Every structure is written in C-alpha cells, then in structure tokens.
Amino acid sequence: MSEGDWTDLAGGELRLRLARIATIELNAPARRNAMSAAMWRGLREAVGLIAADEGVRVVLVRGAGGKAFSAGAHIGEFEEVYADADSARAYNDDVRAAQAKLRGLPRPTVAVIEGACVGGGCGLALACDLRFAAETARLAITPARLGLAYSYADTAQLVEKVGPARAKDILFSARLLPAPEALSIGLVDRVVPADALEAESAAYAEGLAALSQSSIRAAKAMINRMSDLSATGDGETDALFASTFAGPDFQEGYRAFLEKRPPAFR
C-alpha cells in the first residue's frame, strides 16, 4: 500500500489510511457512525495493520461526515447480536477485544471528536491515549437509557479518566456532557473551535511524530502498565453485566428507542 491510500474495512464502514500520521475513520455518517459488529472487527484488523507498519508514528481516530464521532452501537443490529446469551457474549467480546487492541497499540492515538460521542463511541474514544474535541461536541454513556450495564473493563477505563464519583454521575444520569464540562472533569483532553479541530489535531500529531518514538512508546507502555485494565470483574460483576442483556429492562429500553418514546422501566 502506498502512503496516503485508503483501505476499506468492514464493507467500507471503516477506513484506514496508513501514513506517518495514520487515520482510522468510522465511515457510516448516515447513522452518525454508529458502530456495527463488523466495524468492531474491522477496528481490530486496522490496528493490526498499523502495528505491522513501522512507518506509522501517530494514529488519529475520527468519524466521517463532520457531525458525529460515533453515536454508539448500531441499534439496527440489536435483534441479531442480542438474540440470545451466546450471541450477546460474542458481540461484547468483539467490542472489548477491539478496544483493548487499540489501547495497547504501541503508537500514540488521538480521538478527534466532532458532534456526538455516545455509548460505545465514547468507549472507543476512551481507548485512545488522548481525546481532542470540538467545542460543540457532546459526550455521553447511556446504558441506563436502554436497561443495560456497562462492562467491567469499560467502567474501569472511564474511572481511570474521571474518577469514581464522576464516573457514577455519567453512568447513573446517562446525560449528555458538553465539551467544556467534559474537559473540566478529564473526559477529554483538549477543546478547540470546531473549525480548528482538524488542524489542531494534525499539528499535535506532527509534533509527536517529530519526537523520539522509542521514548514515546516506552512512556505509553509504562503508563498503561501502571493503570492496567486487564483485570476482569469477579463472577458477581460479570453475571450482573451479562444478565442485563436478557432482562426486561433491556427489552423495554430497546422497544422505546425504536418507538422514539421514553422507556417505562418497572
């Protein structure tokens, strides 16, 4: 592949450009880049291609279309991926594996956030080393709106950034956080005017690319080791997470979302 060429993955819903500053682009703007199961698998493939290319120094992760980083999971797939306990487990394993692979990539990664960054999209951004957001961006983690739980690994990743109390607020309330508030609590690392986001992110990436890569990779490895998220929940927390996908709250939350009405959880 020559530098600068785009490679389509996940049927074109995810694109990769290998270069000194590589780009992973979520490419489903018609649904605000909501993540399909194929996109999570494609993300793992993209990270593997980047890891194998020593010419890549920095990675930008962004959403196509200018209106959303990612609106979360592709709810049109819910009936299929959550059809039973086995399919739900397989899907959730794919999500966690993709995020873990991105988090562990020995290159600095920057999420470039425009518009909505919600649910699984926010989890993806949190798996990056840094998050640069447009001042018009909005972030939320919304399993409480669907009667679901956030996984242990995803919750640990959130607590790592914002601390326990703020993580509880974000998960309990499922509210949208404007970019300035997200910056103030550590959910994002830099907020800039929307029309300057691309240039600011590119300039920062170029600055990293000009520095010692052995130093940066060592720093990333050590810091990741200090905040190791490889631990899993105990049997009780794992069971709590899994049970929500088969519970009545999820069925009501899912129906309410499709019917565009508030859920009536019992």
Side-chain angles (χ1 to χ4, degrees), residues 141-160:
I141 302 175
T142 56
R145 295 185 184 277
L146 286 170
L148 294 175
Y150 216 37
S151 75
Y152 183 93
D154 283 333
T155 303
Q157 189 166 254
L158 175 63
V159 172
E160 175 192 37

Side-chain angles (χ1 to χ4, degrees), residues 82-97:
Y82 295 133
D84 53 44
D86 288 340
S87 61
R89 187 180 306 109
Y91 173 75
N92 289 326
D93 286 349
D94 279 342
V95 174
R96 285 195 292 271

Side-chain angles (χ1 to χ4, degrees), residues 18-20 49-57 106-107 213 217:
L18 288 175
R20 189 165 179 261
L49 291 169
I50 290 168
D53 189 334
E54 281 300 321
V56 175
R57 294 195 164 202
R107 309 286 194 283
Q213 298 307 294
R217 293 182 194 185

Side-chain angles (χ1 to χ4, degrees), residues 18-88:
L18 288 175
R20 189 165 179 261
I21 311 299
T23 303
I24 298 172
E25 183 176 73
L26 313 179
N27 188 38
R31 59 169 191 267
R32 297 194 302 163
N33 301 315
M35 295 289 292
S36 66
M39 289 169 74
W40 288 114
R41 293 190 295 270
L43 179 62
R44 292 175 64 185
E45 184 180 355
V47 173
L49 291 169
I50 290 168
D53 189 334
E54 281 300 321
V56 175
R57 294 195 164 202
V58 186
V59 181
L60 301 177
V61 183
R62 71 187 191 197
K67 294 184 178 179
F69 178 77
S70 173
H74 180 14
I75 201 161
E77 292 187 334
F78 274 20
E79 189 171 356
E80 176 184 354
V81 300
Y82 295 133
D84 53 44
D86 288 340
S87 61

Side-chain angles (χ1 to χ4, degrees), residues 99-206:
Q99 289 190 18
K101 196 170 182 69
L102 179 62
R103 180 184 172 88
L105 177 68
R107 309 286 194 283
T109 56
V110 181
V112 182
I113 302 170
E114 297 179 272
C117 181
V118 177
C122 198
L124 172 58
L126 289 171
C128 295
D129 297 310
L130 298 166
R131 284 147 297 284
F132 285 17
E135 60 188 3
T136 52
R138 297 292 183 269
L139 298 91
I141 302 175
T142 56
R145 295 185 184 277
L146 286 170
L148 294 175
Y150 216 37
S151 75
Y152 183 93
D154 283 333
T155 303
Q157 189 166 254
L158 175 63
V159 172
E160 175 192 37
K161 272 63 173 190
V162 303
R166 286 169 174 148
K168 288 176 181 177
D169 171 39
I170 290 168
L171 292 172
F172 290 178
S173 68
R175 64 190 179 88
L176 280 168
L177 280 72
E181 182 183 358
L183 176 65
S184 72
I185 66 172
L187 191 60
V188 301
D189 303 291
R190 192 170 300 185
V191 171
V192 300
D195 60 2
L197 179 62
E198 184 175 351
E200 183 89 4
S201 303
Y204 182 83
E206 288 289 352

